[in-house]
């Protein structure tokens, strides 16, 4: 590295690298700046209260944070077993070629834009939920609190299902990569002991990939928390505490998408930016957790 | 001999796993089927050539949104493609330095940040200053989403080129920058451009960051400092409108976006896939 | 020992020590490489011969964490003097690697021409002439002259290694280093490359690393035996193989270890 042109080259790359890092820093500072007014006026009670009323200048994020958490966790609950099933089938059960084709189909789920899922949600999933799924759950399981609301179609559960579909390819492709690196000898050892195929899959594949499964869940969670358009279009946009998993609600992301353009008052805009900062903090923390788990799993 | 119970359990678990795959693919089939069924009828010639007609009149189109998407995505690409490729080169050719570690962290963090917030940043930086929604601000947001995507694929593709190819270049008495830019990069140009195409397809469908940057427009924009219509935002605004005509055009626009995404993804996957398989 | 070196040395190595992040891979080596001769470096794997050959064209330092002390003089001038441009050195000391590594995405012609085109300052005709000459010298011309536009990666293993030799020759280096150039090849391809090496010393000087003692005996004029990072003995090949001075050399050659 003593060639003069090479030193210049390396330094130019370094400069452009730092320029990108600077953009990230600028972004964080800018969001903090935009939310400064709300922080000043509302303070910590922003996180602990749940009244969101721009007319009365009341801003609390708790209900939205709760709805964000619930939709994301529900999505994980649906998506985790499915992505495990996909990863196992594609790497272990199917013939190589079939595995590749089905894996490709699942990956294609990630290619479809969020807004198209939202459109599909409005016109296919929401009617289905309203006329079929929710009435059935309400009738048969209505005595459990979480199913106890008249069906609107839109709401927490519908949003969770759409989210589950959207995070499925992310999770399953990570799991597939991990399963593919499991040495054949480890599998043969289990089969050699007389294990059936599915016992082998449990013993040699799933059990040894525990930390990767957790990593996939964290990654899925990160995607679900920040997903905006599809959720905005099917969650019902009601600024209130959810009563059941059928309730129309509002996530942090959908709140910003819905109100930011129409907000006129400075404090309202700033409060929405503070919601954004909250979301940024949550997604950064989750990214750090993911890196820690993933790095450990790879060792 | 395996007991009957274990055999039955084995079989039923296999069935469960495969059912999981089918359930996972069902939404894809449903989305594609609906988009084609609902969108096909909307794709008339005027759909591509006209701007929206007043409600109730036939013959409206979304040409302004198609052009708008091209403009915003094009503007974003002018900066994002070279910047992304350069950062990919930096990561693959000069790894494990302090700069590289911090850059790697920044790239990962950027990819995990909800794109909505990148739009919020563009609003604060550009829209608030210009006091108007604009193509510039939308392009800026999309550019920031695009750079890490291109960096990641470029880095991965360049890392597949064996170290000895670089050494062979150095051993010919060529400076490292020439080895990288004239030998290594052209040698992986197919794979790198696949990555660029994937990123283009991805940002073409981005909606949330455009809501309060590019915003939207009922007709063609006259300047880049004006609000501008884009396909994804058009899908959103039409989808929540009460008019059947608009909803139908929303599906038409969705069909265009989905076809673009599937074709680009399918083709590039096949290319990159065969390439990586061939290397083994 | 020095009495044996009748031809004048093109490379003189003095007290070279090479390290990888603290690991002492090459220990205090001094030797001379005679001009227009083939010098073979032999020894068991891990003996430091590959690291040593990479320090002769300053490629060693391109590895992460690699350091080096000592002097290597090319035609009397130390290539490690501060201020000397390693790029300039590598133009004069070419290298061929263990596995053939043609440049992906380039045609056969481009592969050979690239050292000149990217260096700049050569006319098109000049480059064409040099490419043909290099391909003839590497005994590849007759096999590829009708398909120069085909990708370099389309050739067979032996052919692509000869392509890599042609690529190195086109720059017309004073010395050409070969790091186990036939270890990935079948016997017939190996034989062709060995013949080639014999021819090459008319126009350049060859230093070849090999773990195949028969190969060293067949192609080289001088042989140096490395063990655990140290140079045990160097001399005329025939002497080394029939009448080595050191016991360790004798043990290695007669197959008692390594």
């Amino acid at each position: 590295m003593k060639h003069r042109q090479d030193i210049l080259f390396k330094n130019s790359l370094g400069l452009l690298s730092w320029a990108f890092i600077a953009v990230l820093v600028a972004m964080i500072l800018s969001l903090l700046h935009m939310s400064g007014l709300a922080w000043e006026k509302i303070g910590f009670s922003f996180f602990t209260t749940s009244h969101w009323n721009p007319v009365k200048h009341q801003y609390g994020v708790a209900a939205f944070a709760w709805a964000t958490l619930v939709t994301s966790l529900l999505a994980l609950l649906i998506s985790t077993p499915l992505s495990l099933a996909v990863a196992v089938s594609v790497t272990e059960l199917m013939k190589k070629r079939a595995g590749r084709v089905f894996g490709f189909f699942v990956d294609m789920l990630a290619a479809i834009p969020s807004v198209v899922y939202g459109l599909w949600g409005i016109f296919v999933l929401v009617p289905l939920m309203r006329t079929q799924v929710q009435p059935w759950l309400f009738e048969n399981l209505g005595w459990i609190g979480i199913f106890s609301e008249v069906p609107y179609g839109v709401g927490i559960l519908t949003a969770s299902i759409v989210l589950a579909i959207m995070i499925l390819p992310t999770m399953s492709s990570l799991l597939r990569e991990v399963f593919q690196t499991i040495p054949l000898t480890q599998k043969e050892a289990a089969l050699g002991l007389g294990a059936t195929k599915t016992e082998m899959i449990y013993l040699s594949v799933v059990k040894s990939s525990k930390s990767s499964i957790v990593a996939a869940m964290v990654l899925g969670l990160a995607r679900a928390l920040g997903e905006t358009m599809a959720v905005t279009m099917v969650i019902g946009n009601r600024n209130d505490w959810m009563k059941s998993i059928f309730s129309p609600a509002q996530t942090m992301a959908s709140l910003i998408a819905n109100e930011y353009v129409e907000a006129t008052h400075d404090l309202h805009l700033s409060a929405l930016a503070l919601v954004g900062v909250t979301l940024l903090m949550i997604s950064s923390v989750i990214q750090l957790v993911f890196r820690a788990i993933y790095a450990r799993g790879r060792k | 001999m395996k007991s009957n119970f274990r055999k039955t359990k084995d079989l039923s678990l296999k069935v469960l796993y495969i059912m999981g795959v089918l359930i996972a693919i069902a939404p894809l089939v449903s989305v594609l089927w609906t988009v084609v069924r609902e969108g096909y009828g909307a794709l008339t010639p005027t759909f591509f050539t006209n701007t929206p007609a007043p409600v109730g009149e036939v013959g409206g189109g979304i040409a302004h949104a198609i052009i708008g998407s091209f403009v915003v995505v094009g503007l974003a690409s002018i900066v994002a493609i070279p910047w992304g490729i350069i950062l990919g080169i930096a990561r693959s050719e000069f790894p494990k330095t302090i700069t590289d570690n911090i850059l790697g962290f920044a790239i990962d963090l950027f990819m995990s940040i909800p794109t909505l917030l990148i739009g919020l940043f563009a609003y604060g930086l550009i829209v608030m200053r210009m006091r108007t929604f604009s193509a510039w601000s939308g392009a800026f947001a999309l550019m920031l989403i695009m750079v890490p995507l291109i960096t990641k694929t470029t880095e991965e593709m360049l890392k597949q080129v064996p170290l000895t190819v670089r050494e062979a270049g150095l051993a010919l008495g060529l400076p490292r920058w020439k080895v990288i830019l004239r030998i290594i990069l052209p040698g992986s140009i197919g794979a790198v451009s696949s990555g660029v195409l994937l990123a283009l397809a991805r940002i073409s469908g981005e909606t949330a960051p455009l809501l309060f940057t590019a915003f939207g427009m009922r007709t063609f924009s006259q300047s880049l400092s004006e609000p501008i219509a884009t396909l994804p935002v058009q899908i959103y605004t039409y989808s929540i409108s009460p008019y059947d005509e608009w909803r139908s055009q929303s599906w038409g626009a969705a069909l265009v976006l989905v076809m673009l995404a599937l074709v680009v993804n399918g083709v590039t996957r096949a290319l990159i896939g065969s390439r990586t398989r061939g290397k083994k | 020992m020095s009495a044996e070196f009748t031809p004048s040395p093109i490379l003189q190595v003095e007290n070279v020590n090479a390290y990888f992040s603290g690991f002492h891979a090459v220990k205090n080596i001094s030797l001379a490489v005679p001009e227009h001769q083939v010098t073979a470096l032999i020894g068991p794997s891990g003996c430091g011969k590959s690291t040593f050959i990479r320090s002769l064209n300053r490629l060693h330092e391109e590895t992460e964490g690699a350091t080096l002390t000592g002097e290597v003089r090319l035609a009397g001038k130390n290539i490690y003097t501060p201020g000397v441009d390693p790029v300039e050195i590598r133009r004069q000391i070419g290298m061929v690697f263990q596995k053939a590594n043609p440049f992906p995405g380039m045609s056969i012609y481009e592969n050979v021409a690239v050292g000149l085109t990217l260096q700049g300052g050569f006319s098109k005709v000049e480059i064409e002439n040099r490419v043909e000459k290099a391909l003839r010298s590497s005994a590849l011309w007759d096999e590829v002259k009708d398909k120069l536009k085909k990708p370099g990666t389309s050739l067979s293993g032996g052919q692509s290694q000869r392509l890599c030799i042609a690529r190195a020759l086109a720059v017309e280096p004073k010395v050409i280093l070969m790091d186990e150039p036939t270890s990935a090849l079948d016997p017939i391809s190996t034989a062709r490359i060995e013949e080639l090496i014999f021819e090459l010393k008319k126009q350049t000087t060859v230093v070849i690393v090999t773990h195949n003692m028969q190969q060293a005996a067949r192609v080289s004029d001088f042989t140096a035996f490395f063990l655990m990072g140290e140079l045990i003995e160097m001399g005329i090949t025939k002497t080394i193989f029939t009448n080595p001075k050191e016991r360790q050399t004798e043990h290695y050659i007669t197959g008692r270890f390594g």
Side-chain angles (χ1 to χ4, degrees):
Chain A
M1 190 47 65
K2 289 195 187 115
H3 193 72
R4 281 212 352 245
Q5 294 170 341
D6 277 348
I7 294 170
L8 189 68
F9 178 64
K10 193 181 176 184
N11 288 344
S12 319
L13 293 191
L15 198 69
L16 285 162
S17 303
W18 281 102
F20 187 80
I21 297 163
V23 171
L24 179 69
V25 175
M27 172 164 164
I28 293 168
L29 292 179
S30 169
L31 290 180
L32 286 176
H33 177 73
M34 287 161 79
S35 62
L37 181 67
W39 179 246
E40 214 172 279
K41 287 265 160 74
I42 307 164
F44 195 74
S45 67
F46 179 80
F47 300 106
T48 54
T49 59
S50 62
H51 298 286
W52 185 274
N53 191 337
V55 182
K56 291 186 190 162
H57 300 307
Q58 288 176 319
Y59 302 102
V61 80
F64 309 125
W66 177 242
T68 307
L69 194 71
V70 171
T71 45
S72 302
L73 290 179
L74 270 177
L76 265 191
L77 200 67
I78 302 168
S79 196
T80 306
L82 284 179
S83 55
L84 261 175
V86 168
V88 164
S89 306
V90 164
T91 57
E92 304 297 330
L93 293 179
M94 293 180 176
K95 293 228 163 64
K96 239 193 168 138
R97 180 158 237 156
R100 211 144 60 204
V101 170
F102 279 94
F104 176 74
F105 282 149
V106 175
D107 284 348
M108 280 303 106
L109 282 170
I112 293 173
S114 175
V115 70
V116 176
Y117 279 115
L119 188 64
W120 174 80
I122 292 178
F123 294 104
V124 177
L125 191 60
V126 168
L128 185 76
M129 296 295 287
R130 187 174 53 229
T131 58
Q132 309 286 327
V133 180
Q134 290 181 349
W136 186 87
L137 286 172
F138 182 63
E139 241 163 67
N140 293 286
L141 301 168
W143 48 275
I144 310 175
I146 57 166
F147 298 116
S148 66
E149 204 173 2
V150 281
Y152 293 97
V154 293
I156 296 270
L157 184 62
T158 313
S160 305
I161 292 173
V162 175
L163 279 177
I165 298 168
M166 297 180 72
I167 63 176
L168 185 95
T170 318
M171 294 176 68
S172 72
S173 69
L174 190 144
L175 288 177
R176 251 160 57 207
E177 259 171 50
V178 173
F179 290 177
Q180 270 161 359
T181 57
I182 290 172
L184 198 61
T185 48
Q186 196 175 325
K187 298 174 194 164
E188 281 168 347
L191 290 175
L193 290 171
T196 62
K197 186 108 186 194
T198 51
E199 283 166 348
M200 177 281 279
I201 288 170
Y202 177 70
L203 290 171
S204 313
V205 179
V206 176
K207 239 182 146 184
S208 68
S209 314
K210 265 187 199 151
S211 73
S212 303
I213 295 172
V214 175
M217 290 171 73
V218 174
L219 193 66
L221 185 67
R223 272 220 59 188
L225 288 171
E227 184 47 56
T228 312
M229 284 326 288
V231 174
T232 306
M233 291 161 86
V234 301
I235 200 165
N237 305 321
R238 188 164 77 183
N239 294 0
D240 204 352
W241 275 102
M242 51 177 282
K243 296 194 190 70
S244 79
I245 59 168
F246 296 152
S247 299
Q250 187 85 278
T251 64
M252 294 192 281
S254 74
L255 177 78
I256 299 173
N258 273 312
E259 295 192 358
Y260 203 78
V261 169
E262 273 137 44
T264 46
H265 198 276
D266 281 349
L267 185 60
H268 190 190
L269 283 168
S270 182
L272 286 168
L274 192 53
V275 175
V277 170
T278 315
L279 199 53
L280 179 69
M281 287 191 302
I282 295 174
S283 77
S284 308
V285 167
I286 290 179
Q287 176 65 20
L288 287 173
V289 171
F290 171 73
R291 277 172 80 100
I293 297 173
Y294 196 62
R296 208 182 52 195
R298 276 285 148 120
K299 265 175 195 166
Chain B
M1 278 293 281
K2 288 162 190 168
S3 70
N4 267 339
F5 170 70
R6 286 177 63 209
K7 268 191 191 163
T8 323
K9 192 179 133 205
D10 186 50
L11 187 70
S12 40
L13 274 173
K14 277 183 189 165
V15 171
L16 268 180
Y17 282 130
I18 300 293
M19 263 173 58
V21 179
L22 297 181
I23 295 174
I25 291 177
L28 181 72
V29 176
S30 173
V31 169
L32 292 183
W33 166 242
T34 329
V35 169
V36 171
R37 193 190 58 198
E38 302 284 329
Y40 181 74
L43 299 188
T44 57
T46 54
F47 177 84
F48 294 101
T49 54
N50 288 16
T51 50
V55 176
E57 276 177 40
V58 286
I62 57 163
H64 65 308
I66 295 174
I67 301 291
S69 267
F70 269 111
V71 168
V72 177
V73 169
L75 274 180
S77 313
I78 291 173
V79 178
I81 294 173
W83 199 2
I85 291 177
I86 286 168
L87 295 189
I89 292 173
R91 291 224 64 200
S92 111
E93 306 301 315
F94 302 103
K96 288 175 190 151
T97 59
I98 297 170
T99 303
D100 178 62
N101 285 336
I102 299 177
L103 178 64
F105 181 73
I107 296 267
D108 282 354
L109 200 61
F110 235 102
M111 289 177 82
S112 75
I113 290 174
T115 54
L116 173 80
L117 299 183
I118 296 174
L120 213 53
F121 171 47
Y123 180 91
L125 197 71
I126 301 176
V127 177
M128 257 164 46
R129 258 161 235 189
M130 290 176 69
R131 298 186 174 278
T132 170
F133 299 110
S134 63
W136 291 120
S137 58
F140 178 75
L142 293 189
M143 182 270 286
L144 289 183
I145 299 168
M146 205 176 175
V147 169
L149 296 171
I150 297 179
T151 300
K152 263 247 143 76
T153 45
T154 305
E155 178 197 351
E156 271 166 34
M157 294 307 140
L158 293 185
K159 276 186 172 165
Q160 281 181 14
V161 179
L163 190 69
T164 77
V165 174
R166 292 176 177 82
E167 292 191 331
L170 292 176
L172 286 177
L174 298 171
R176 195 175 268 273
W177 71 272
K178 276 189 186 169
V179 174
I180 294 168
L181 295 186
R182 304 290 299 276
I183 297 176
I184 307 295
L185 189 62
S188 339
I189 199 69
V192 170
S193 25
S194 297
V196 169
L197 276 180
L198 284 175
L200 276 172
R202 162 74 202 282
I203 63 157
S204 301
E206 275 296 336
T207 317
L210 296 180
L211 288 178
F212 28 80
T213 52
F215 190 62
M217 190 80 161
R218 296 286 299 271
T219 181
F220 294 107
S221 304
Q222 300 303 314
S223 129
L224 296 176
S225 307
E226 267 181 5
I228 190 167
T230 53
L231 272 179
V233 174
Q234 201 71 39
I235 295 175
Y236 174 60
T237 43
Y238 275 6
S239 75
I240 52 177
S241 82
Y243 310 115
D244 283 345
E245 174 77 18
W246 284 8
R247 287 183 178 183
S248 158
Q249 298 213 329
S250 182
W251 284 108
L255 179 58
V256 172
L257 272 189
V258 167
M259 291 321 282
L260 175 79
L262 290 190
V263 168
V264 168
N265 272 275
V267 170
T268 55
R269 292 291 177 112
L271 279 177
I272 299 179
S274 67
R275 194 184 162 81
T276 42
R277 275 199 298 281
K279 281 266 152 66
K280 273 170 195 165
Chain C
M1 188 160 111
S2 57
E4 291 175 346
F5 292 133
T6 35
S8 64
I10 178 110
L11 279 175
Q12 276 172 304
V13 179
E14 238 150 80
N15 305 325
V16 162
N17 287 282
Y19 307 81
F20 287 111
S21 357
F23 172 67
H24 200 170
V26 166
K27 294 170 188 163
N28 209 35
I29 306 275
S30 301
L31 58 77
V33 174
E35 197 167 11
H36 290 299
Q37 304 284 326
V38 176
T39 303
L41 311 179
I42 63 169
S45 54
C47 68
K49 55 194 192 298
S50 278
T51 308
F52 175 71
I53 201 173
R54 289 162 62 88
S55 65
L56 298 183
N57 66 342
R58 296 194 59 172
L59 201 56
H60 172 67
E61 67 202 64
E62 297 290 343
T63 312
E64 187 76 25
T67 50
L68 184 138
T69 62
E71 279 190 10
V72 175
R73 287 196 294 275
L74 172 67
K77 281 189 188 135
N78 181 13
I79 65 173
Y80 282 101
T81 304
V84 169
D85 186 350
V87 169
E88 204 52 53
I89 296 304
R90 292 186 202 120
R91 270 181 209 154
Q92 300 175 55
I93 308 178
M95 189 159 188
V96 175
F97 297 79
Q98 244 184 59
K99 270 182 79 181
N101 47 10
F103 294 135
M106 284 190 199
S107 69
I108 292 171
Y109 180 88
E110 286 167 332
N111 255 285
V112 183
V114 70
L116 302 171
T117 49
L118 290 191
Q119 185 182 327
F122 295 90
S123 73
K124 209 173 162 237
V125 183
E126 216 172 338
I127 292 175
E128 272 169 20
N129 290 340
R130 284 241 216 152
V131 168
E132 183 176 340
K133 191 178 159 212
L135 282 170
R136 282 189 194 280
S137 304
S138 61
L140 199 59
W141 178 252
D142 291 332
E143 290 160 66
V144 302
K145 64 176 179 224
D146 299 323
K147 50 174 185 178
L148 290 172
K149 293 246 162 66
K150 289 260 170 66
T153 42
S154 67
L155 296 174
S156 73
Q159 284 176 326
S160 50
Q161 189 61 297
R162 275 181 282 145
L163 180 70
C164 294
I165 295 175
R167 182 175 67 191
L169 286 176
V171 191
E172 300 190 344
K174 294 195 179 107
V175 180
I176 188 158
L177 310 172
M178 297 188 174
D179 188 1
E180 307 206 18
T182 63
S183 64
L185 298 181
D186 61 273
I188 294 170
S189 306
T190 301
R192 297 205 62 168
I193 294 204
E194 287 179 5
E195 279 169 40
L196 182 60
I197 292 170
F198 196 77
E199 290 295 315
L200 280 181
K201 66 181 174 184
K202 287 178 197 151
Q203 43 177 304
T204 181
T205 304
V206 178
V207 180
I208 177 172
V209 163
T210 176
H211 61 247
N212 177 340
M213 280 181 287
Q214 285 76 28
Q215 184 168 64
R218 282 193 301 264
V219 303
S220 72
D221 306 291
F222 292 86
T223 296
F225 173 56
F226 281 65
L227 188 62
M228 312 274 285
E230 291 180 63
L231 174 65
I232 303 300
E233 173 169 14
M234 177 170 180
I236 293 173
T237 298
K238 208 188 245 170
T239 323
I240 292 280
F241 278 92
T242 53
N243 189 18
K245 290 197 194 87
E246 302 293 328
R247 232 187 42 227
Q248 288 155 308
T249 316
E250 192 185 336
H251 282 177
Y252 181 67
I253 283 162
T254 53
R256 249 176 270 174
F257 69 88

